[in-house]
Amino acid sequence: MYFYLPVLIGSNSTVALGFLLVVILLFPSPSIHSFSMPGGLPVHFFNNAGASQMAPQVLERIMCHLQLEMKEGGYNAAAIVQEEHFGVYQTIGRLINASDPMFEIALVESATVAWTRIFYSMADSILDRALDQSGSSYDYSEARLQKVILVSEAEYAANIVAILKYAREQNQRSRAIQWRVFAIPSTLIKSDRNDQDYTFSTGVVDVEIFEDIVSGRWEVEEWKDLAKGSEIIGEGCDHDGGRRQMVRIKPEDIALVCITHIPTNSGIINPVNEIGKCIEEFNTKAMSETGDTLPSILYIVDACQSIGQISVDVQCMRAHALTATGRKYLRGPRGTGFLFVKSDVVAKLIPSEVDHAAAPLTFQTKGDLSNKEEFEDKYISIDIGYKKGAGRFEYWESNLSTRLGLGVAVSYCVDEIGVEYIEKRIIELSAILCQRLNTICPIEIYHADSIQCGIVTFSVKGMDPTSIKKTMLSPLGDERFELSVVPRTSTPIDSARTDVEDLIRISLSYINTFDEIESFINKLGDLVGMDEDRNSGNLM
């Protein structure tokens, strides 16, 4: 149903108050932890890692600006709220501890947009530098140089797609530089299952192995080069005990390290601070020897699932770039996200795609171009430059209403709720959820020994995850629960490593409650079968 609201802006305070009453009547604030579907039961929201509920004030700010645009027009409305718009950058800067928010932060449409823009820019810059230093060109038939991209095993599928597309296209185009892609091994944990010892991957980057890689002390099997794809199957991969061809990664060949802070398929947290420290130490030494101004190893952190859920500090991470979305734990609107690029790096990066706002042009003319008779003797010289900061990764057109909504969401997170409280509350809820899930016999929690946040994924033996999701959302019983199904392809390396299938995902936020968890367990237990002997009773 659509509502036509009266004009919001007026000099009379009574008009403003009247508008607020209209908003409250037509757009009532949802419950802190559930919302109602038309004609249905309330839905308890356990999908905060997908798209969380916007805070009421976020929706209000979006609607207010849309009304302003209706009254004043889009351009004039933008001019009116310009100071508030600039304040969004500052607010995000406080959230992630950026040193110069207006210079280091770009507002974009999503985390994936942010990630792909910075990745392609960094990869191209690395390629250009390598060609300049070696004097190579695309005409060489034999590879002269190698460049290595390292990723976490829990890396998100969208990131993997972009990385492999770039590496494979470059390798097909030329042999001057050969790109390789390897996953950094995860830590392992021993677990006793059915009276037998098993070794499991935790999904968490092994920092000791990473340090060995950066120090040149690590060898990897040739067939693990992801850039080669299916063509490597069978090459040097003798699982009957034959010798595999090994590759030693040279530290100077490492170009990019891409780490997903918290993945989409489990509750692990990757040690991004320790990884960043190791990279910084290597870069400091390498740059002092070569005199380069662009770091030898560039470091991207995907904070899509961590921002708004746990503390995120780019100074502690020492990340050259960080990407995030507004629609998850920040409780902002869909279609919002941001990119952080460190101040001493951003000026050295050229975006792979630009418009005239990101790259303003200038031109010069010679002669009188209006004189058609002498036109052939005239010319136009057009030059382009780039914005000095991260604004070079933005486009001219954007949805200003949702940007302002994002600003309100971030301010609410930082100033009213507090990240420290949010993190503590989520961990408490997650611990109780795991405890209660363990009372349901057919359930197996994924990466159970490594969960550190509000994302909990599991499988139910003999049951299809999609069917469980649909049933939990159905009106069966007194309550409905919004869950998510995480396909194994969403984190392909980790899924292949553990041989896991699609998973059911619960992602809790501070807006959830212990009572909701108990109600959820009761409905899920009725669906899949409860083991009474393991039932620990009601929650606190």
Side-chain angles (χ1 to χ4, degrees):
M1 185 174 184
Y2 297 89
F3 299 98
Y4 181 82
L5 298 183
V7 171
L8 310 185
I9 306 302
S11 59
N12 193 309
S13 60
T14 304
V15 174
L17 178 60
F19 162 71
L20 291 177
L21 291 175
V22 170
V23 170
I24 291 171
L25 290 173
L26 295 183
F27 301 94
S29 299
S31 163
I32 195 66
H33 63 273
S34 66
F35 62 92
S36 295
M37 297 292 288
L41 296 168
V43 176
H44 298 281
F45 206 74
F46 282 22
N47 190 23
N48 296 285
S52 189
Q53 293 173 272
M54 286 191 295
Q57 51 268 58
V58 175
L59 173 61
E60 181 181 327
R61 186 65 195 91
I62 294 171
M63 295 301 300
C64 283
H65 187 75
L66 291 175
Q67 288 288 334
L68 180 60
E69 288 188 346
M70 182 178 67
K71 176 178 181 291
E72 296 285 343
Y75 284 10
N76 194 35
I80 292 171
V81 300
Q82 184 181 60
E83 185 174 346
E84 180 185 356
H85 184 204
F86 290 161
V88 176
Y89 295 83
Q90 299 292 345
T91 304
I92 293 174
R94 289 191 291 114
L95 173 68
I96 64 173
N97 194 25
S99 59
D100 188 355
M102 291 301 297
F103 190 82
E104 296 178 319
I105 292 171
L107 298 179
V108 294
E109 298 84 357
S110 71
T112 299
V113 168
W115 199 96
T116 51
R117 284 183 187 171
I118 191 63
F119 168 75
Y120 286 121
S121 172
M122 285 184 168
D124 283 343
S125 297
I126 291 164
L127 177 63
D128 291 343
R129 177 175 61 182
L131 292 173
D132 289 343
Q133 291 176 347
S134 66
S136 300
S137 71
Y138 287 113
D139 296 330
Y140 286 99
S141 59
E142 295 297 329
R144 297 286 187 93
L145 297 171
Q146 292 190 40
K147 287 300 170 185
V148 174
I149 300 174
L150 299 175
V151 301
S152 59
E153 290 189 338
E155 203 67 20
Y156 187 51
N159 304 351
I160 295 294
V161 166
I163 292 169
L164 296 186
K165 178 180 183 294
Y166 185 89
R168 291 172 182 176
E169 286 181 351
Q170 291 297 331
N171 290 346
Q172 291 172 2
R173 184 175 299 146
S174 168
R175 292 282 296 172
I177 296 178
Q178 195 72 9
W179 290 82
R180 292 178 175 270
V181 181
F182 293 105
I184 308 165
S186 300
T187 57
L188 303 176
I189 188 171
K190 289 186 177 181
S191 179
D192 182 14
R193 177 181 296 180
N194 298 328
D195 297 326
Q196 297 184 33
D197 288 335
Y198 284 85
T199 300
F200 295 96
S201 169
T202 64
V204 180
V205 169
D206 190 319
V207 176
E208 291 186 3
I209 292 181
F210 180 74
E211 291 174 347
D212 286 343
I213 295 173
V214 176
S215 300
R217 299 190 298 266
W218 190 67
E219 287 187 341
V220 62
E221 294 95 333
E222 171 76 19
W223 62 271
K224 289 185 178 180
D225 181 1
L226 299 171
K228 295 192 175 183
S230 59
E231 70 186 63
I232 199 66
I233 298 298
E235 294 183 14
C237 186
D238 184 357
H239 293 280
D240 295 327
R243 178 177 176 80
R244 295 173 176 172
Q245 184 178 352
M246 303 299 291
V247 176
R248 180 178 295 277
I249 296 177
K250 296 178 181 179
E252 61 269 24
D253 290 343
I254 303 172
L256 264 168
V257 176
C258 306
I259 305 294
T260 293
H261 196 185
I262 296 177
T264 188
N265 73 329
S266 74
I268 70 165
I269 300 178
N270 268 318
V272 291
N273 293 357
E274 291 83 352
I275 293 169
K277 181 180 179 181
C278 181
I279 292 172
E280 183 180 67
E281 290 173 353
F282 176 85
N283 283 335
T284 299
K285 181 180 179 181
M287 293 171 71
S288 66
E289 294 174 352
T290 63
D292 286 345
T293 56
L294 185 69
S296 178
I297 301 175
L298 292 172
Y299 180 32
I300 307 175
V301 173
D302 181 345
C304 190
Q305 297 291 7
S306 57
I307 200 77
Q309 180 180 188
I310 64 174
S311 176
V312 172
D313 188 327
V314 294
Q315 306 303 327
C316 294
M317 289 181 184
R318 299 169 172 85
H320 298 118
L322 178 139
T323 61
T325 185
R327 65 179 162 89
K328 298 180 185 288
Y329 283 91
L330 284 175
R331 302 180 65 198
R334 295 197 68 176
T336 59
F338 66 86
L339 165 66
F340 161 84
V341 190
K342 195 176 178 184
S343 58
D344 59 354
V345 171
V346 65
K348 303 174 182 67
L349 301 176
I350 304 300
S352 58
E353 297 178 354
V354 294
D355 67 2
H356 62 298
L361 65 81
T362 59
F363 67 90
Q364 295 179 339
T365 62
K366 181 179 179 181
D368 183 6
L369 297 182
S370 63
N371 188 340
K372 297 181 179 180
E373 294 180 358
E374 301 179 4
F375 188 82
E376 293 182 357
D377 296 329
K378 320 303 179 186
Y379 70 87
I380 303 175
S381 174
I382 300 177
D383 295 315
I384 64 169
Y386 298 93
K387 283 188 175 180
K388 293 183 178 180
R392 62 181 59 191
F393 293 99
E394 295 180 345
Y395 283 162
W396 163 258
E397 185 56 39
S398 66
N399 187 336
L400 187 53
S401 68
T402 54
R403 283 188 172 192
L404 298 177
L406 174 63
V408 171
V410 175
S411 178
Y412 185 65
C413 171
V414 174
D415 301 322
E416 297 190 41
I417 305 299
V419 176
E420 184 177 346
Y421 166 79
I422 291 172
E423 184 172 353
K424 180 180 178 182
R425 171 70 175 175
I426 289 175
I427 290 173
E428 290 174 349
L429 291 168
S430 177
I432 293 297
L433 173 63
C434 290
Q435 173 190 325
R436 298 296 283 125
L437 284 172
N438 281 326
T439 67
I440 303 177
C441 198
I443 283 181
E444 182 174 353
I445 300 176
Y446 188 58
H447 286 323
D449 297 315
S450 308
I451 295 174
Q452 302 179 61
C453 65
I455 298 178
V456 179
T457 55
F458 62 91
S459 58
V460 180
K461 187 176 181 179
M463 298 189 70
D464 174 50
T466 302
S467 297
I468 294 175
K469 176 184 181 297
K470 290 180 179 178
T471 303
M472 294 301 291
L473 188 60
S474 72
L476 179 65
D478 296 331
E479 294 174 292
R480 305 165 66 221
F481 297 88
E482 168 67 14
L483 313 177
S484 178
V485 173
V486 184
R488 67 194 307 267
T489 54
S490 65
T491 47
I493 303 172
D494 181 64
S495 297
R497 186 87 162 82
T498 60
D499 197 27
V500 72
E501 297 297 326
D502 296 353
L503 297 164
I504 302 163
R505 184 181 69 190
I506 302 171
S507 44
L508 300 174
S509 185
Y510 67 93
I511 62 176
N512 296 116
T513 68
F514 293 113
D515 288 340
E516 280 186 295
I517 293 174
E518 184 68 11
S519 297
F520 169 78
I521 291 296
N522 289 337
K523 183 168 182 175
L524 182 64
D526 290 340
L527 176 62
V528 304
M530 184 81 76
D531 182 350
E532 297 295 340
D533 293 334
R534 298 171 65 195
N535 195 334
S536 61
N538 294 330
L539 298 178
M540 60 185 70

